[in-house]
């Protein structure tokens, strides 16, 4: 009543009416609903109902009566949090009222109680009569809810709780842009500006480091802040009652009250229309390339298993398994090259955009790129996000990280595409050589595959040149047992049918799948005769492979073998990517050598006609 009326009421009722303080008059800009309790008018059951709905409880005692202080320990705290697990207890503010009637302080008696019960956030002595600390106690009550101590700090152990330490360690790693395990002055100022809007003054920065240096043995190195120094600084904030500082840092980096990254942060709303796909653009690749270079400590152009583990240290678990090394190209030593690294990210973005957005969130993309979310500027498909304060300086300035491609149907109508990533499904009977065909795309001969088999992968991805432009081609091995129960089971940009040239029954499987699921589609189809190093067998039953392709207006089967000593050739994979890039063209023409000659002649004729028209118009003038 003193808070609302700003004066001490002459007549004080046993219980005040419920009050709501509007958000615009509170420091934290949140509404506060205050519910009073009277022991003389209400039952304990009614009190328990209100406690169950409360975010914070203020326990009021009379500073002049020791009996009311003792009740804090024996009655009120057990009633509020009795039987509740430690991490789920409601925060409590102790309020010592009638401080105007006592010369000294009750804090000497209260401190042992505060040390006994970790859910007690703070104690405020006030006076309703002279309005001392009335507004402050409600500020602390708000603070206990918005910036609680319990998830951050263990007062009994006097240290950060494990979940808080893990979150701050991740934040340190993201802010350490050169990966030297030290936050330099520039990195500290970027971090400070990101979280609080302004950099620290040079003297303030030195003062912070001096405090850390005096209180830790390894908190400052090379005039920068180490991880231990960073953790100590946040511990100090909490111990001095400045929980809001640590909470501001945590929430800027996407954490909720349980110290988990929020769903809104990891999975921003994103829609991919039917028939469209998602790709990383060059700015997205630039962002990832800079992170690759950050973690390539020995600068050998590849990530070792240790370096890759360090790259994923900001993730809850490593998202890529051992099959990675059979999915992308590696170095001669079997390490993940930059090319293979970017190929893997291209694959993730194409196959599972939500997982890609989640991974980019763990990597701190919204903070490091000064964007609202991972979907910023996504060609009209991202849901708008609320504006945020400035963040860390960008590693790149992405205008579009994951653009959504145009619908394939429109590409077919217009006869051109701007897409850079294509999916090829590789189909064939068991034993036809599909797996070897996939690994050959990564430059591995059959001998190399047998020498280092590794963990099998159903996907491989690499780049090929199509008409002078680099395209990503994804090969997916379809199991011979696949049922094709829905249209999406057959959907792809190009279908590659592989049969064993030496097996007389191998081609019939390909012919059957083609006639059932691809013959009436607009998907380009290519047939490949594998194991050409073995004696050819007559395919049975029905038409020969060449006759079958001729009948269905398909290019004749391409010959393939990876039995040689050197890396397999790329010509066949280029033809697959070309067929995917130009699906509107007749497949026979696409495979013919005369196709590109006709394109060139057509261009020359067009230029000649244009020049002739120009001369005629000039003459008429």
């Amino acid at each position: 009543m003193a808070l609302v009326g700003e004066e001490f009421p002459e007549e004080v009722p046993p219980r005040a009416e419920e009050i709501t303080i509007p958000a615009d008059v509170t420091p934290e800009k949140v509404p506060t609903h205050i519910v009073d309790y009277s022991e003389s008018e209400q039952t304990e059951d009614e009190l328990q109902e209100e406690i169950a709905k409360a975010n914070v409880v203020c326990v009021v005692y009379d500073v002049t009566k020791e009996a009311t202080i003792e009740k804090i320990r024996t009655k009120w705290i057990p009633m509020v949090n009795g039987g509740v697990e430690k991490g789920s207890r409601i925060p409590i503010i102790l309020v010592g009222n009638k401080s105007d009637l006592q010369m000294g302080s009750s804090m000497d008696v209260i401190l042992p109680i505060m040390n006994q019960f970790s859910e007690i956030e703070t104690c405020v002595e006030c006076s309703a009569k002279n309005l001392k600390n009335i507004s402050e106690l409600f500020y602390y009550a708000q603070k206990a809810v918005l910036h609680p101590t319990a998830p951050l700090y263990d007062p009994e152990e006097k240290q950060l709780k494990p979940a808080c330490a893990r979150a701050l360690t991740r934040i340190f790693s993201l802010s350490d842009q050169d990966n030297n395990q030290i936050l330099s002055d520039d990195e500290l100022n970027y971090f400070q500006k990101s979280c609080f809007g302004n950099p620290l003054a040079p003297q303030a920065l030195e003062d912070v480091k001096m405090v850390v240096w005096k209180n830790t043995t390894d908190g400052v190195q090379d005039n920068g802040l180490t991880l231990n120094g960073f953790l100590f600084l946040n511990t100090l904030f909490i111990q001095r009652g400045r929980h809001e500082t640590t909470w501001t840092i945590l929430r800027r980096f996407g954490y909720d009250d349980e110290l988990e990254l929020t769903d809104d942060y990891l999975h921003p709303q994103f829609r991919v229309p039917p028939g469209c796909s998602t790709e990383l653009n060059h700015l997205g690749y630039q962002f990832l390339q800079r992170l690759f270079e950050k973690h390539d400590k020995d600068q050998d152009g590849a990530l070792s298993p240790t370096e890759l583990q360090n790259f994923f240290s900001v993730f809850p678990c490593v998202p890529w398994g051992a099959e990675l090394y059979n999915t992308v190209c590696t170095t001669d030593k079997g390490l993940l090259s930059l090319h293979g690294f970017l190929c893997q990210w291209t694959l993730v973005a194409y196959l599972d955009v939500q997982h890609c957005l989640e991974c980019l969130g763990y990597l701190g993309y919204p903070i490091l790129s000064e964007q609202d979310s991972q979907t910023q500027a996504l060609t009209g498909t991202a849901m708008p996000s609320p504006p945020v304060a400035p963040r860390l300086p960008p590693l790149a300035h992405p205008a579009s990280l994951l653009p959504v491609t145009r619908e394939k149907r429109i590409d077919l109508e217009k006869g051109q595409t701007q897409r850079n990533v294509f999916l090829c499904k590789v189909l064939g009977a068991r034993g036809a050589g599909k797996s070897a065909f996939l690994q050959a795309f990564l430059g591995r001969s059959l001998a190399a595959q047998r020498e280092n088999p590794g963990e099998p992968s159903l996907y491989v991805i690499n780049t090929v040149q199509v008409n002078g432009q680099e395209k990503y081609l994804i090969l997916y091995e379809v199991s011979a047992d696949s049922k094709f129960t829905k249209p999406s089971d057959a959907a792809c940009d190009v279908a590659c049918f592989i049969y064993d040239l030496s097996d007389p029954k191998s081609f019939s499987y390909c012919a059957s799948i083609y006639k059932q699921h691809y013959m009436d589609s607009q998907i380009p189809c290519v047939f490949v005769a594998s194991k050409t190093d073995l004696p050819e067998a007559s395919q049975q039953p029905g038409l020969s492979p060449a006759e079958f392709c001729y009948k269905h207006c398909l290019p004749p089967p391409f010959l393939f073998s990876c039995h040689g000593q050197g890396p397999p050739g790329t010509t066949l994979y280029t033809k697959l990517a070309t067929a995917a890039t130009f699906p509107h063209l007749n497949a026979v023409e696409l495979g013919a050598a005369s196709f590109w000659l006709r394109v060139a002649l057509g261009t020359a004729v067009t230029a000649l006609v244009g020049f002739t028209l120009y001369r005629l118009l000039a003459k008429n003038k």
Side-chain angles (χ1 to χ4, degrees):
M1 294 178 70
L3 175 70
V4 177
E6 296 186 348
E7 62 180 5
F8 184 70
E10 294 297 329
E11 294 184 7
V12 181
R15 177 171 176 262
E17 294 182 1
E18 295 183 10
I19 300 168
T20 298
I21 304 174
D24 56 357
V25 299
T26 63
E28 299 291 345
K29 303 301 180 186
V30 292
T32 304
H33 192 60
I34 303 172
V35 180
D36 192 16
Y37 169 74
S38 171
E39 193 174 13
S40 62
E41 288 191 354
Q42 293 172 280
T43 65
E44 287 191 4
D45 288 340
E46 290 176 303
L47 176 58
Q48 290 291 356
E49 288 181 11
E50 294 297 340
I51 289 173
K53 295 184 287 185
N55 300 112
V56 61
V57 172
C58 293
V59 176
V60 183
Y61 65 93
D62 186 338
V63 297
T64 65
K65 295 180 180 179
E66 289 189 11
T68 64
I69 296 175
E70 185 60 25
K71 269 190 172 182
I72 295 171
R73 188 199 312 266
T74 60
K75 180 176 181 177
W76 299 121
I77 292 181
M79 184 179 292
V80 173
N81 282 324
V84 179
E85 291 184 7
K86 191 174 181 180
S88 305
R89 294 173 185 172
I90 300 172
I92 293 173
I93 306 295
L94 297 184
V95 181
N97 198 19
K98 303 184 181 182
S99 63
D100 58 292
L101 300 179
Q102 181 172 284
M103 292 298 293
S105 171
S106 63
M107 292 306 295
D108 289 342
V109 183
I110 291 298
L111 278 174
I113 300 176
M114 293 181 66
N115 290 332
Q116 181 181 352
F117 299 98
S118 60
E119 61 263 44
I120 299 176
E121 290 284 330
T122 190
C123 177
V124 182
E125 290 189 344
C126 65
S127 171
K129 187 171 183 178
N130 60 23
L131 305 183
K132 175 187 174 183
N133 287 342
I134 297 299
S135 60
E136 283 80 359
L137 82 87
F138 289 105
Y139 163 73
Y140 283 115
Q142 283 188 334
K143 184 177 174 181
V145 177
L146 299 174
H147 311 297
T149 306
L152 306 181
Y153 185 73
D154 187 336
E156 296 172 2
E157 300 292 334
K158 292 182 172 53
Q159 63 183 18
L160 297 173
K161 288 190 173 179
C164 180
R166 282 195 300 271
L168 290 173
T169 299
R170 173 179 171 272
I171 291 169
F172 179 91
S173 298
L174 293 177
S175 303
D176 179 18
Q177 296 189 37
D178 58 7
N179 200 29
N180 68 345
Q181 314 308 313
I182 295 172
L183 294 185
S184 65
D185 286 359
D186 286 341
E187 289 169 337
L188 278 170
N189 265 325
Y190 291 153
F191 168 81
Q192 174 75 15
K193 188 176 180 181
S194 166
C195 295
F196 305 102
N198 294 296
L200 286 171
Q203 187 56 50
L205 194 57
E206 291 303 315
D207 291 344
V208 167
K209 289 188 288 185
M210 181 59 68
V211 169
V212 176
W213 179 77
K214 286 182 177 179
N215 290 276
T216 63
T217 57
D218 58 352
V220 177
Q221 289 182 11
D222 299 332
N223 200 35
L225 207 61
T226 65
L227 172 60
N228 285 340
F230 183 72
L231 295 177
F232 166 78
L233 204 55
N234 280 278
T235 304
L236 193 63
F237 289 146
I238 296 167
Q239 289 174 340
R240 293 183 177 181
R242 292 174 55 188
H243 316 81
E244 65 274 15
T245 302
T246 299
W247 274 116
T248 299
I249 294 168
L250 290 164
R251 285 171 179 148
R252 170 61 67 221
F253 280 80
Y255 287 93
D256 60 16
D257 289 350
E258 283 72 43
L259 297 183
E260 299 286 345
L261 290 173
T262 66
D263 193 60
D264 288 342
Y265 173 82
L266 288 178
H267 306 109
Q269 294 187 47
F270 186 79
R271 184 178 62 88
V272 182
C276 300
S277 59
T278 47
E279 300 177 2
L280 289 161
N281 77 346
H282 70 285
L283 294 174
Y285 288 120
Q286 184 184 52
F287 171 78
L288 292 167
Q289 181 173 341
R290 295 213 178 189
L291 291 183
F292 179 95
E293 292 168 352
K294 168 184 173 179
H295 290 88
D296 181 16
K297 297 288 286 184
D298 54 9
Q299 298 183 348
D300 63 348
L303 295 184
S304 67
T306 301
E307 290 170 336
L308 190 60
Q309 188 75 29
N310 182 254
F311 177 88
F312 286 123
S313 64
V314 293
F315 286 62
C317 61
V318 177
W320 301 345
E323 72 280 355
L324 168 69
Y325 298 97
N326 275 335
T327 304
V328 299
C329 292
T330 58
T331 66
D332 293 340
K333 296 180 180 179
L335 303 180
L336 183 62
S337 64
L338 173 61
H339 175 75
F341 177 81
L342 296 179
C343 279
Q344 175 67 13
W345 279 103
T346 303
L347 180 67
V348 174
Y350 184 91
L351 296 180
D352 190 347
V353 67
Q354 290 300 328
H355 180 56
C356 184
L357 292 171
E358 180 180 338
C359 290
L360 291 170
Y362 285 125
L363 291 171
Y365 172 78
I367 296 101
L368 296 177
S369 62
E370 293 187 326
Q371 301 292 338
D372 290 343
S373 77
Q374 302 89 304
T375 62
Q376 188 71 21
L378 293 185
T379 60
T381 61
M383 302 298 290
S385 300
V388 296
R391 294 191 170 104
L392 285 173
L395 297 178
H397 297 280
S400 174
L401 182 71
L402 277 167
V404 174
T405 64
R406 188 168 62 187
E407 190 178 349
K408 291 182 188 177
R409 175 182 56 81
I410 300 175
D411 284 348
L412 285 168
E413 292 174 357
K414 293 184 175 292
Q416 59 182 357
T417 183
Q418 296 177 332
R419 296 169 60 210
N420 294 302
V421 185
F422 300 96
L423 174 64
C424 171
K425 289 192 172 178
V426 180
L427 307 105
R430 188 175 286 103
K434 299 188 294 295
S435 299
F437 181 76
L438 264 67
Q439 290 303 303
F441 188 33
L442 303 179
R444 297 167 187 164
S445 65
L446 191 61
Q449 295 175 38
R450 288 172 176 170
E451 184 179 351
N452 297 297
E455 190 73 20
S457 174
L458 295 178
Y459 288 96
V460 301
I461 179 172
N462 204 348
T463 55
V464 294
Q465 292 288 323
V466 176
N467 199 18
Q469 294 184 333
E470 187 176 70
K471 303 290 184 182
Y472 286 90
L473 180 64
I474 301 168
L475 301 185
Y476 170 60
E477 180 180 339
V478 179
S479 170
D481 299 323
S482 295
K483 301 301 182 183
F484 295 90
T485 56
K486 53 187 183 297
S488 61
D489 292 337
C492 56
D493 298 302
V494 58
C496 177
F497 295 88
I498 291 186
Y499 65 96
D500 182 352
L501 193 72
S502 64
D503 183 352
K505 298 181 179 179
S506 183
F507 181 77
S508 61
Y509 173 88
C510 294
S512 174
I513 296 296
Y514 172 80
K515 287 189 287 187
Q516 290 179 56
H517 305 288
Y518 290 92
M519 186 169 65
D520 297 324
S521 73
Q522 292 182 304
I523 298 172
C525 295
V526 173
F527 280 75
V528 175
S530 70
K531 305 183 183 181
T532 55
D533 52 291
L534 299 177
E536 182 177 358
S538 176
Q539 296 294 324
Q540 299 173 359
L543 300 173
S544 70
E547 292 170 334
F548 180 90
C549 291
Y550 181 79
K551 177 182 177 181
H552 294 281
C553 299
L554 297 169
F558 295 98
L559 303 181
F560 170 78
S561 173
C562 58
H563 191 66
Q565 293 299 317
T570 61
T571 304
L572 178 51
Y573 303 103
T574 301
K575 289 184 180 296
L576 290 171
T578 304
T581 306
F582 302 101
H584 57 287
L585 298 175
N586 182 279
V588 175
E589 290 188 341
L590 194 60
S594 62
F595 167 71
W596 296 112
L597 177 61
R598 280 198 290 260
V599 170
L601 287 173
T603 304
V605 170
T606 302
L608 180 61
V609 170
F611 180 69
T612 304
L613 288 173
Y614 169 77
R615 290 188 61 184
L616 288 172
L617 290 171
K619 185 176 181 180
N620 289 336
K621 286 183 179 180

